[in-house]
Amino acid sequence: MILSLWQVISMFDLDLEGVAEIIKKEGYRCVALQLPEGLKDSGVDISSRLAGDTGCEVIILGDPCYGACDLADSEALDLGCDALFHFGHSRIFKNARLPVHYITVKIPRDPLPLLKDNLDKLPMRIGLVTTIQHIHLLDEIVSFLKESGRTARIGEAKGRVAYRGQVLGCSFSSAKDIADKVDAFLYIGTGNFHPLGVALSTGRPVYALDLERGELRDMSDVSDPILRRRFAAITRAQDARSFGIIIGEKQGQRRLSLAKKVKGMLEEKGRSGYFIALREITPDVLLPFRGLDAFVNTACPRITIDDTARYKRPVLTPIELGIVLGLREWDDYAMDEIV
């Protein structure tokens, strides 16, 4: 089903009037739009609306966008744009090659009815975490939980995290900030990766309040099978002698110093490592490297965890490689993060 622009604006609380005002105020003649996948269907309508309201030329950047780490400032500049409007993510870079405006995309849903129905499943001391789309809901949830007699905490923003209580696919610092002060975490949002990351990075129970599906999930039911798959990948890599060390070409995922450290770790243990730089990391692009036994991913941590079953050979995080090489104990398993 293709939604009208009005429906999209209502569903995502999208402030296109504010975007148009920025364009007119700054006198931009050509701008680029970088949209998350959920807004791509409406990209043409958004472009038409902004061009009509401002007289500005608008270029939609059609490549996939996985987060603020995937900033297309160079592409926008090369296309002759005066500015880039990046929708749906918060700023993680201090500098860019041209002006970048981060446009918040809120999902205006009421969490309290679902929370009331599941309140008896939650412990007394709760830490709250969420993604940028639901940050605006946290204060309301804190008030509700306190009225129920519970203690609710929100961790401080650190590193590349922009807001209190926010978690990214590569950073769970706001959760770790309060992990010793809560019995469990309540994640507000959809999907399993972010709450799984909170569970693995803090060692605390995590419940996911999924406003889209209308359910509360205990993440222990999800994390245990995923951990078993990760341990299976580690076991398969124990006898590997040659490793491809994946370096992310996207500026927010490029950890070159870590890749060099990984190569040194391998060589110290009598194994070989080969650098492979990639922009898009998929099973297909790794297929030609048939002479390698396994891979170590230093780019986006989510690639390793989410896509485990799709890869023919083990793809490890740097932390998992430490276990393979005997530099880290199995009990010390942790989530790979970019700080």
Side-chain angles (χ1 to χ4, degrees):
M1 178 178 66
I2 299 177
L3 301 177
S4 68
L5 182 58
W6 180 87
Q7 288 173 307
V8 170
I9 291 173
S10 301
M11 179 180 296
F12 292 103
D13 193 8
L14 196 58
D15 182 17
L16 292 185
E17 289 184 4
V19 174
E21 285 302 314
I22 294 172
I23 293 173
K24 289 187 285 187
K25 178 183 177 181
E26 299 297 333
Y28 295 143
R29 295 166 297 173
C30 179
V31 301
L33 306 182
Q34 192 172 20
L35 304 169
E37 297 310 297
L39 284 179
K40 287 279 176 65
D41 281 350
S42 302
V44 171
D45 289 335
I46 293 171
S47 172
S48 177
R49 164 79 176 271
L50 292 176
D53 288 351
T54 67
C56 180
E57 186 173 63
V58 180
I59 298 177
I60 303 167
L61 301 178
D63 286 327
C65 176
Y66 301 108
C69 61
D70 200 358
L71 192 68
D73 56 332
S74 295
E75 291 86 340
L77 184 64
D78 291 344
L79 289 166
C81 297
D82 301 317
L84 170 66
F85 286 84
H86 182 96
F87 286 75
H89 306 110
S90 56
R91 181 187 299 273
I92 64 172
F93 298 115
K94 294 181 180 179
N95 301 306
R97 296 188 64 195
L98 80 174
V100 178
H101 300 274
Y102 293 81
I103 307 303
T104 300
V105 178
K106 299 179 182 178
I107 299 179
R109 289 189 175 140
D110 184 0
L112 298 189
L114 182 60
L115 188 54
K116 288 177 184 177
D117 290 343
N118 292 278
L119 189 59
D120 60 334
K121 300 174 184 176
L122 299 177
M124 298 306 295
R125 299 190 306 162
I126 302 171
L128 296 178
V129 289
T130 189
T131 55
I132 183 67
Q133 292 83 6
H134 300 95
I135 283 289
H136 61 288
L137 300 176
L138 291 189
D139 288 339
E140 182 181 16
I141 294 174
V142 166
S143 298
F144 173 78
L145 290 173
K146 287 183 176 179
E147 290 174 3
S148 76
R150 286 165 171 77
T151 300
R153 295 181 181 274
I154 301 175
E156 296 299 323
K158 296 180 180 180
R160 54 174 50 192
V161 172
Y163 298 95
R164 296 175 65 246
Q166 182 188 8
V167 290
L168 305 174
C170 58
S171 178
F172 306 94
S173 58
S174 66
K176 291 192 288 188
D177 182 54
I178 56 173
D180 61 341
K181 301 179 180 68
V182 303
D183 301 316
F185 282 95
L186 179 65
Y187 167 79
I188 317 299
T190 59
N192 289 323
F193 181 81
H194 289 89
L196 171 66
V198 173
L200 294 180
S201 65
T202 65
R204 289 284 189 266
V206 178
Y207 298 88
L209 191 73
D210 193 323
L211 303 183
E212 185 174 303
R213 293 188 176 185
E215 65 182 19
L216 180 76
R217 291 192 299 278
D218 183 343
M219 287 306 299
S220 63
D221 297 334
V222 177
S223 61
D224 290 347
I226 291 177
L227 277 176
R228 285 196 293 270
R229 287 198 291 271
R230 297 315 310 152
F231 289 154
I234 293 170
T235 300
R236 288 171 57 206
Q238 293 285 353
D239 296 327
R241 308 306 302 174
S242 59
F243 291 77
I245 304 169
I246 299 170
I247 302 171
E249 293 182 359
K250 298 173 183 178
Q251 58 176 314
Q253 300 177 13
R254 189 183 302 127
R255 294 187 282 177
L256 186 55
S257 60
L258 176 59
K260 291 179 178 179
K261 180 181 177 180
V262 165
K263 192 172 192 296
M265 291 165 53
L266 287 166
E267 291 175 347
E268 286 179 8
K269 295 295 183 177
R271 311 198 194 193
S272 55
Y274 304 90
F275 295 131
I276 303 172
L278 295 168
R279 180 163 182 81
E280 297 295 330
I281 303 164
T282 66
D284 287 344
V285 300
L286 296 183
L287 280 177
F289 301 101
R290 295 181 177 86
L292 298 175
D293 301 321
F295 298 90
V296 183
N297 174 36
T298 67
C300 174
R302 189 166 186 171
I303 293 168
T304 311
I305 305 300
D306 269 2
D307 298 336
T308 301
R310 299 175 58 209
Y311 290 96
K312 301 292 185 183
R313 284 160 289 175
V315 179
L316 308 177
T317 69
I319 291 173
E320 292 170 349
L321 177 66
I323 297 175
V324 168
L325 298 179
L327 303 173
R328 193 181 188 99
E329 298 297 327
W330 286 85
D331 293 341
D332 292 333
Y333 186 92
M335 197 75 169
D336 180 27
E337 298 183 55
I338 302 178
V339 295

